[in-house]
């Protein structure tokens, strides 16, 4: 999987790596309450309401088994091949399928909906993707008109209000083109290299700063601001065949 260029599987590359220890993983999340007017008289009596307790919330995710098939006629292992396909065709197929697995995983990490594993009914477990799992760092654009500067800043503000500090802005191609167009009045043309440069690589606002990342698996209707330190991919087994 690591043989795939990071540009092809950006989310998978950005996620921290760890070891899976069970087919179902659970962890707790908690958050600070918002600031409020807080002034009490001397000798006040403490009373409690149901919403006063700031208890952790349990979150669960599933381990997912991924597979790609490899099949090569043994004759192809010893005959000469055309063009650049020399050596073992089986090894070549392993490389290709491992790259396809990485693409599958990158897509699942973004857009997949969780499915609970149930061996008795032959139901495969599916991990939850970032879009379904995230409550504050994903902005639905409400159609196909694409991201606007105001919508982007509004998402940054919402995340900052909740204490977040995302590192990356993940978006698909249409929205990446729109973001790049924000630099239209600052295009760079090199007469010597005959090169036109028009790209927004970093977005910095009064709330946070993100590197812009293109991921073809991201839906055109959403953008996601990603905090690298908050996201892990846990592997139960290494890639095997």
């Amino acid at each position: 999987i690591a043989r795939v260029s990071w540009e092809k599987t950006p989310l998978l590359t950005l996620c921290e790596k760890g070891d899976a220890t069970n087919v179902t993983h659970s962890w707790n999340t908690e958050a600070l309450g918002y600031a409020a007017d807080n002034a009490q008289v001397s000798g006040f009596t403490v009373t409690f309401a149901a919403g006063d307790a700031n208890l952790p919330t349990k979150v669960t995710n599933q381990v997912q088994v991924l597979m790609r098939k490899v099949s090569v006629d043994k004759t192809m292992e010893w005959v000469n091949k055309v063009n650049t396909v020399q050596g073992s065709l089986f090894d070549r197929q392993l490389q290709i399928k491992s790259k396809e697995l990485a693409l599958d995983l990158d897509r699942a990490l973004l857009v997949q909906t969780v499915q609970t594993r149930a061996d008795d009914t032959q139901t495969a477990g599916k991990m939850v993707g970032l879009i379904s799992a995230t409550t504050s760092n994903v902005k639905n654009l409400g159609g196909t008109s694409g991201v606007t500067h105001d919508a982007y800043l509004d998402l940054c503000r919402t995340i900052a209000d909740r204490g977040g500090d995302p590192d990356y802005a993940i978006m698909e191609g249409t929205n990446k083109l729109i973001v790049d167009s924000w630099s239209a009045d600052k295009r760079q043309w090199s007469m010597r290299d005959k090169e036109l440069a028009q790209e927004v690589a970093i977005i910095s606002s009064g709330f946070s700063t993100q590197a812009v990342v293109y991921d073809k698996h991201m839906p055109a209707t959403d953008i996601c601001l990603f905090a690298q330190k908050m996201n892990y991919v846990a592997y139960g087994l290494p890639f095997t065949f």
Side-chain angles (χ1 to χ4, degrees):
I1 290 177
R3 292 171 179 164
V4 182
S5 174
W6 72 269
E7 293 98 337
K8 305 298 183 183
T9 57
L11 181 57
L12 174 60
T13 303
L14 290 173
C15 287
E16 301 288 342
K17 308 299 187 291
D19 296 323
T21 57
N22 211 325
V23 294
T24 300
H25 278 244
S26 299
W27 63 96
N28 289 325
T29 63
E30 57 187 358
L32 296 175
Y34 290 105
D37 185 12
N38 192 342
Q40 313 298 329
V41 298
S42 298
F44 71 93
T45 300
V46 178
T47 59
F48 286 94
D52 292 333
N54 191 357
L55 299 176
T57 301
K58 181 181 178 181
V59 180
T60 300
N61 205 354
Q62 300 289 311
V63 163
Q64 179 172 333
V65 178
L66 298 95
M67 181 270 293
R68 286 279 182 163
K69 300 176 183 178
V70 177
S71 178
V72 175
D73 188 329
K74 286 188 176 180
T75 303
M76 297 302 297
E77 291 299 281
W78 60 267
V79 299
N80 289 331
K81 288 88 171 175
V82 297
N83 298 329
T84 59
V85 182
Q86 297 298 325
S88 172
L89 186 60
F90 183 76
D91 291 343
R92 175 73 173 179
Q93 285 296 305
L94 280 179
Q95 292 181 16
I96 291 173
K97 295 303 179 181
S98 67
K99 293 178 180 182
E100 291 174 353
L101 278 172
L103 292 171
D104 292 342
L105 184 51
D106 186 81
R107 177 191 174 279
L109 289 170
L110 265 176
V111 303
Q112 192 157 268
T113 303
V114 68
Q115 179 172 282
T116 302
R117 174 192 181 115
D119 292 335
D120 56 336
T121 60
Q122 295 294 296
T123 301
K126 293 183 179 181
M127 72 183 84
V128 65
L130 194 63
I131 295 174
S132 296
T134 305
T135 57
S136 61
N137 287 41
V138 173
K139 178 81 170 181
N140 184 279
L141 303 173
T144 58
S145 58
V147 63
T148 65
H149 198 217
D150 288 343
Y152 188 93
L153 292 179
D154 183 64
L155 178 58
C156 291
R157 178 190 59 79
T158 299
I159 296 171
D161 285 348
R162 298 185 180 187
D165 186 20
D167 314 292
Y168 297 92
I170 302 175
M171 59 192 70
E172 58 76 61
T174 301
N175 288 315
K176 178 68 169 68
L177 287 173
I178 293 173
V179 170
D180 287 342
S181 72
W182 295 348
S183 66
D185 59 340
K186 298 178 178 62
R187 296 174 181 170
Q188 297 181 8
W189 169 254
S190 171
M191 292 295 293
R192 184 185 66 181
D193 300 327
K194 293 182 171 55
E195 178 182 353
L196 174 66
Q198 181 181 329
E199 179 185 13
V200 174
I202 303 290
I203 301 177
S204 183
S205 69
F207 304 106
S208 54
T209 300
Q210 295 81 43
V212 179
V213 176
Y214 159 67
D215 194 313
K216 66 181 180 181
H217 300 126
M218 189 73 184
T221 54
D222 298 284
I223 57 171
C224 176
L225 301 193
F226 176 81
Q228 187 174 29
K229 65 182 179 181
M230 301 297 293
N231 293 273
Y232 287 78
V233 178
Y235 294 91
L237 292 172
F239 172 68
T240 58
F241 60 92

